Structure formats: structure tokens, C-alpha cells
Amino acid sequence: MALALVITRELAGPDGVVDLARAAAAPDEPRALYDAGWWLAEQRQFAIAASVLERANQIAPGQPGIVGELANALEHLLHYGPAALVIEASGRAEDDPLLAYLSGFYWLMCGDLERPRARLGQLTDVTEANLVFMRDALGMLARADALTAAGVGLGEDALTAWHAVLNGSLLLHESPHGHPEPMHGRYAFLNDSAALQRLGLDRLQRLLAAVGQRPERILTAPDRASRILAHAAGQVLDLPVEAWADDPGQRGLVVAWSLDAVEDPAFLGGMRRHAPGRPLFVHVTDWIEPFAYAPDVGTVLAQVVRHPFTGGALTYDPATRKVAEAEADGRSEAELGGLIAATQVADDSATPLEQVLGIDRALAGLPADLRPGLHREAGSRLIHRAGSPVPSNRFT
């Protein structure tokens, strides 16, 4: 605790360490430890927070507030199994609705369907708004059951299937690199390319045709990377390209390269909810710290990504044997979009598209609020969950 105090004072200054100082002075006081752990979690120092809160939990076991905050810190480290075990060991999930939900969610994130089903039964009569929301979030069990009934496996290598279960989102491409071990279809680092973007658009075109959806136009997110991709999508799908407007009545396929790269609050807020004829396609999504809500369709999951044209892509000079960052490409968005559209499709995905289509068919007939986003016309987009029961190596 003393070391954490010194480090945090250097990072946050004296005003940011009041709770830590109190805990350092009273390392056996549960309340002081809880306050310090909570503050550390707010600062996204989850590993230190978990250590502090574990100490609090040892001194005062079975306190719902401490148990929940410790589980939350472990969740943000993607330690879903330990988070589930902390709650089970507390014995409080039987009488605390919040811990009952968290228990069910964490077990589900470990690939267990039966313990979450039992926890869901405990939440049948809850009326508090946030608990109702959490209970409804466990509707992902219905998607899991639908896939199981359709013969779609949910094992440790079923990245695309679990992605649909947890996020209501269709993943078009699993990386062949490090497949199945240790990446299981995700990327840790991705130097994005015109070829990968073209592959995503090819699979998107085939998916839309298979489900019978023909967008009226392409609507582009308001950033350069997205506008480049939108121009490519317009050429591939033979559709006009327009700027996105904050009008749910404006129908069209909304195209974004990465929601993390969009810095327009109106767009990000406006796309939080589904609207008729307005599906959201996002090329790349961070799977460690994903954006708040899930796209309806995405190409890839990557932890760190560089765009091929907006600057920062890694290049290698064989003459000097040095790696450098590329400068931004000054060509117009339409010209670069045309370059992507003209790139030959080379489909090296570890997942055949038919598997994605099978997942969509199995889920499309569910009640409207449980269907994949591609088949929804109202309501909020689902929270994009970090990780899944499918493991992958990552940067820490």
C-alpha cells in the first residue's frame, strides 16, 4: 500500500491520494481499504485495486459492497473466473440481487450456461430499474440456447458464435494468424490494410445479400478513416455515399472504420439506438476495451490497430532494416476508397462465411429484443463485452 501511495502521488498529485493515504495509515480498516480500492478502480488502476480490495475482503468477508467492487476490478482485468469465484465464496449471491446478476454474468463469460440460468431465476421478480436492465442482459442465454439448438458449437474456439451470443453482433473475419492457438481469431496488433478492408466489404456484401437486405445508401461516420471506407463500400455495393445526419429517418448502411476513432458526440450518441433501415457496420473493434455499444456487423477484433492511410501504419525498409511509421496519405478519400474497392479479394479467414450465415439464421427468429442487431429496428444497441469465453493472447 505504501508503494502504491508513492506511485499514485507521482501520477495524480496530492489531491488524488487522500483515500490511499487513509488506507496506508489503517491497513486493517475495511472501509479505508474499500475507499482506496474504489478510487483506484475509478483511475483504471484495476490490478492495484484488486489487491487492495482483496485485503478488505479478507478482513471483512461477505460484505456485498467489497465483494462487488473486487469482482468489478477483476472483470476489468478479464479475470472472469476469479471474479465468479469471489462472489461464490462470499455466499451472498443467494440474497443480493446485484451479486446474483454478477455471478451469472461472470459464469457466462467463462462459458458456463447452467449457473447463469439459475441466477436468472433469482432475478425474476426484481423491479429496480438497474436490476431489470441487468436481468434482461442475461437474455444472451436465449441466443446461446438458439445456437445450441441449431447445432452451432460454443466451445473454447467458437469466437464468432460467442461474439454473437454476448454482443448480438456478427463477426465477419477470424484471423488465421495464431489460429487456433494462441489468438483464436483475434488480433493483438493489426497493421490494417486495403486488402483486409476489401475482404470485410466482400463478406458484408454477401451477408446482406443472404439476409435479403439492400441498403438505400451508404452513410459515412464523420472521420477520415470512415469516409475512406465508406467510399469503398459505395463502390463495392454500388450505392451512393452520403454524410451521416442526426436523423433516424435517414435510411442507409452506416459505415465506420472504428468507433474509437470517431470523435463526434452527435454521431456516437445518435447511433446508440437502432433505427429502421439503418444498420451499423464497423470494420475494427477493440476487444480489450471495446466501445460502449456493439456494431451490428464488424470485420475484425483487434487490441491495437494502425490505419493504412491516415498515418502511423508500421512500415519496414529492407535496405535499412528499420521499422518506421508511415506518413498520412494525402490522396482524396474517394481515391483511396477506390483503391480499396479495386483490391483483389483474398479470403484467408479462419471462419467460412457460411458459419456466420448459420449463426445469423439461428438467431434471426428470436424475439425482437434478442435478435442480432442486423435484424433490429428499435431499442438500444447492446453493450459490447470485453473478451469472451474464447481466450486470446494480448498486450498487458
Side-chain angles (χ1 to χ4, degrees):
M1 179 60 72
L3 178 60
L5 177 60
V6 171
I7 295 172
T8 305
R9 181 179 288 117
E10 292 299 316
L11 294 174
D15 294 338
V17 295
V18 173
D19 290 326
L20 277 185
R22 188 180 298 118
D28 293 324
E29 172 52 50
R31 182 68 206 191
L33 291 167
Y34 172 84
D35 290 341
W38 182 89
W39 184 85
L40 284 162
E42 286 294 297
Q43 308 307 309
R44 305 190 67 77
Q45 300 298 316
F46 297 114
I48 305 176
S51 297
V52 173
L53 291 162
E54 172 60 24
R55 170 67 176 166
N57 192 44
Q58 290 174 357
I59 296 171
Q63 299 298 312
I66 294 174
V67 171
E69 200 62 39
L70 172 56
N72 174 68
L74 293 169
E75 172 187 341
H76 281 85
L77 296 168
L78 302 191
H79 295 333
Y80 292 111
L85 292 174
V86 162
I87 294 175
E88 295 299 321
S90 76
R92 299 304 304 272
E94 304 302 326
D95 58 20
D96 187 288
L98 174 58
L99 293 183
Y101 160 75
L102 290 175
S103 170
F105 172 62
Y106 294 148
W107 284 122
L108 185 62
M109 294 299 286
C110 295
D112 185 328
L113 299 180
E114 296 314 311
R115 277 179 279 200
R117 207 181 308 280
R119 294 302 186 198
L120 186 59
Q122 292 178 232
L123 300 174
T124 302
D125 298 325
V126 298
T127 57
E128 190 176 336
N130 66 323
L131 291 174
V132 170
F133 170 80
M134 292 176 184
R135 178 193 65 198
D136 292 346
L138 288 179
M140 56 186 74
L141 279 169
R143 288 190 289 274
D145 290 343
L147 291 184
T148 300
V152 177
L154 289 172
E156 280 199 352
D157 60 347
L159 176 65
T160 298
W162 274 112
H163 186 73
V165 166
L166 300 176
N167 307 305
S169 180
L170 297 174
L171 182 65
L172 295 176
H173 174 73
E174 289 189 19
S175 168
H177 307 293
H179 191 281
E181 295 284 356
M183 295 309 301
H184 292 280
R186 298 185 183 96
Y187 293 89
F189 174 82
L190 173 63
N191 223 25
D192 196 16
S193 65
L196 186 54
Q197 292 187 32
R198 182 64 181 87
L199 170 59
L201 293 176
D202 176 72
R203 287 193 155 209
L204 174 66
Q205 180 182 35
R206 293 157 62 194
L207 170 65
L208 293 174
V211 302
Q213 293 192 20
R214 174 66 178 172
E216 295 184 13
R217 59 183 65 82
I218 301 296
L219 302 175
T220 178
D223 64 286
R224 179 168 168 80
S226 295
R227 288 190 292 267
I228 292 170
L229 182 61
H231 279 289
Q235 293 192 34
V236 171
L237 300 176
D238 192 24
L239 293 172
V241 178
E242 298 179 11
W244 178 90
D246 194 5
D247 173 14
Q250 181 196 37
R251 300 172 73 94
L253 173 67
V254 182
V255 172
W257 177 69
S258 167
L259 292 177
D260 290 313
V262 179
E263 299 179 346
D264 186 305
F267 175 85
L268 297 174
M271 289 306 299
R272 179 176 289 276
R273 297 185 64 83
H274 295 279
R278 211 179 205 203
L280 173 62
F281 168 67
V282 176
H283 176 64
V284 61
T285 297
D286 184 342
W287 61 276
I288 297 296
E289 296 186 12
F291 192 75
Y293 53 81
D296 303 324
V297 184
T299 305
V300 296
L301 298 172
Q303 183 180 1
V304 178
V305 62
R306 302 290 181 90
H307 192 274
F309 303 124
T310 59
L314 297 186
T315 61
Y316 176 71
D317 186 337
T320 63
R321 297 184 179 180
K322 291 184 178 180
V323 175
E325 292 189 348
E327 298 292 330
D329 193 312
R331 287 175 286 183
S332 71
E333 292 156 358
E335 184 177 358
L336 291 171
L339 185 154
I340 294 170
T343 300
Q344 183 175 356
V345 176
D347 195 335
D348 62 349
S349 178
T351 305
L353 183 63
E354 181 53 42
Q355 183 173 330
V356 181
L357 299 179
I359 290 170
D360 179 80
R361 285 193 297 269
L363 301 180
L366 289 172
D369 60 335
L370 298 174
R371 296 172 191 160
L374 188 60
H375 299 282
R376 296 185 62 190
E377 295 190 337
S380 297
R381 287 192 158 82
L382 296 181
I383 296 171
H384 198 303
R385 307 293 179 174
S388 81
V390 180
S392 297
N393 281 6
R394 59 192 174 102
F395 299 112
T396 58

